[in-house]
Amino acid sequence: MERYPQPPALPVVVSADRPPTAMAHPVRLMRGLYTDRDLTSVEPWQARYDVSLARCVAASWHVPSARCLSHESAALVHGLVVRAQEPDVSLVMRSRPNRTVQLLPAVPVGRQDVRMRRRLLSVPEEDITVVGGLAVTSLLRTAVDCAFDLPARESVCVVDSALRALARPERYRRVSSEERVAKAVRAPRAAIDAQPGRRGARRARAVVAIASAWAESPGESVLRWFVAALGMPAMVPQMGIQVEESVDVFFPDLAWPEARAYLEFDGELKYRDERSLWREKRRRDTLARMGWRSLHVTWADLRDQRGLRTRLLALLPPGAAGLRPVADLWR
């Protein structure tokens, strides 16, 4: 079953002079604003995600003069993928603020230096929408702002998931999906071209050029960014490989069909049960018998960029070793 980004349920935020006695686990978000969340009862990533959503709600309350949330904050409210855990909170202001950056209270998990940023941006009214009761930049505008202002390896996750939400591609209906995907990609390109003097335009164009609505995880997006930033040949995301003499179709994360090689990103939660492990072993063995070579990549591999580059080159024919890194994707 296909999964697409969708807005999450927003946490309840309460205004009070001190931690409300009715809250079992009060978490201070900003001065006079609290949410109730036991941060020790969930995985650390979940705790950081919940706190980040609560900060978005609190910021909207704390700065009523702001037009809307933007960048990673808007992405979180839309349900898009945000690579950075506990990102800064961004607000679009109507005029130049006296105070642009404010340090937020730390919580027991995650970053100790999360900031609220008041940004002066020219955002047309049609690029602002309401999600879950919060004013945020639209899906398209959120993706474009992130492409302009975030490092490419972070913004590609947001842009990928925005395109996925807009195009809603179906892997078993690739041909009919491609028209929607192409239309979705044209929109951010046009939005970037409409802001020619904005800083970061070259990086934004480079990110949109490699973005894909087919990406299903942040690890897959960052892996594709790394391949593209190295200057390696473009890969096909979620390409269906028909198993010989079978009805089975396998969909590797990224594939080089000419080289009969594919990449798979393995997150921590991917193979937590025996059924998933067995299914992956069967797929890998079947594709190997068909002449496909593979490389499985983890977050640790992506941190060792030199080692990963060597392993990626080993999958390609010798003639593909003359790489020309894409400078705009390293910014």
Side-chain angles (χ1 to χ4, degrees):
M1 182 178 178
E2 301 283 2
R3 293 180 297 174
Y4 306 105
Q6 60 182 6
L10 297 176
V12 175
V13 173
V14 174
S15 176
D17 294 334
R18 58 182 60 87
T21 56
M23 286 187 176
H25 304 282
V27 177
R28 182 170 176 262
L29 303 167
M30 296 181 188
R31 186 179 63 186
L33 293 171
Y34 297 85
T35 191
D36 194 358
R37 189 69 167 107
D38 182 3
L39 302 178
T40 63
S41 65
V42 295
E43 294 283 347
W45 69 265
Q46 183 69 59
R48 291 190 285 268
Y49 176 75
D50 293 345
V51 168
S52 292
L53 279 176
R55 284 179 175 140
C56 292
V57 179
S60 296
W61 282 27
H62 187 71
V63 189
S65 59
R67 296 183 65 201
C68 62
L69 292 160
S70 68
H71 293 78
E72 299 106 313
S73 303
L76 285 170
V77 175
H78 279 295
L80 304 181
V81 172
V82 175
R83 172 71 189 98
Q85 294 190 344
E86 278 194 277
D88 290 345
V89 181
S90 290
L91 293 163
V92 175
M93 307 305 296
R94 299 179 185 277
S95 59
R96 188 172 300 279
N98 295 326
R99 187 180 185 185
T100 58
V101 179
Q102 176 183 341
L103 187 66
L104 299 181
V107 297
V109 298
R111 289 176 54 190
Q112 303 299 301
D113 60 345
V114 178
R115 291 168 167 79
M116 182 171 66
R117 300 184 180 275
R118 294 172 171 87
R119 299 175 181 264
L120 181 60
L121 285 176
S122 176
V123 181
E125 287 297 329
E126 58 266 27
D127 286 346
I128 299 176
T129 187
V130 176
V131 178
L134 299 182
V136 296
T137 48
S138 66
L139 266 174
L140 176 60
R141 178 64 193 234
T142 299
V144 169
D145 282 340
C146 289
F148 270 107
D149 298 330
L150 298 184
R153 65 172 292 161
E154 296 183 14
S155 65
V156 69
C157 299
V158 179
V159 178
D160 279 0
S161 56
L163 292 177
R164 185 165 181 80
L166 291 167
R168 302 180 74 83
E170 301 171 82
R171 54 166 57 173
Y172 283 100
R173 297 178 179 178
R174 184 98 187 189
V175 174
S176 61
S177 294
E178 288 293 1
E179 184 177 347
R180 299 197 303 275
V181 170
K183 181 180 178 180
V185 172
R186 286 195 293 270
R189 289 175 180 167
I192 293 169
D193 290 341
Q195 304 180 69
R198 183 172 174 179
R199 184 177 179 180
R202 289 182 56 176
R203 174 175 58 192
R205 291 190 182 95
V207 168
V208 171
I210 68 165
S212 173
W214 296 99
E216 297 181 348
S217 73
E220 181 182 335
S221 295
V222 176
L223 177 56
R224 197 181 67 258
W225 159 81
F226 184 64
V227 170
L230 288 175
M232 302 185 82
M235 304 194 75
V236 182
Q238 299 297 328
M239 185 187 81
I241 301 176
Q242 179 72 53
V243 177
E244 298 169 348
E245 299 180 356
S246 171
V247 296
D248 292 337
V249 181
F250 294 144
F251 297 90
D253 289 341
L254 298 164
W256 280 303
E258 295 82 4
R260 294 187 76 80
Y262 69 90
L263 306 180
E264 197 75 20
F265 182 82
D266 291 345
E268 292 182 7
L269 303 178
K270 192 168 184 178
Y271 305 128
R272 282 203 169 181
D273 60 82
E274 291 186 4
R275 178 177 295 181
S276 296
L277 284 169
W278 176 253
R279 185 166 55 243
E280 177 54 34
K281 180 183 184 306
R282 175 176 170 270
R283 179 171 79 156
R284 195 182 307 192
D285 291 348
T286 300
L287 290 175
R289 287 195 298 270
M290 294 171 59
W292 285 82
R293 294 170 300 122
S294 67
L295 176 61
H296 284 241
V297 179
T298 65
W299 285 119
D301 295 323
L302 283 167
R303 289 190 289 271
D304 177 19
Q305 293 183 353
R306 180 175 297 181
L308 180 55
R309 177 184 182 276
T310 300
R311 295 166 64 198
L312 287 169
L313 286 174
L315 280 178
L316 290 173
L323 306 182
R324 297 184 62 183
V326 181
D328 291 327
L329 290 176
W330 290 104
R331 298 189 173 102

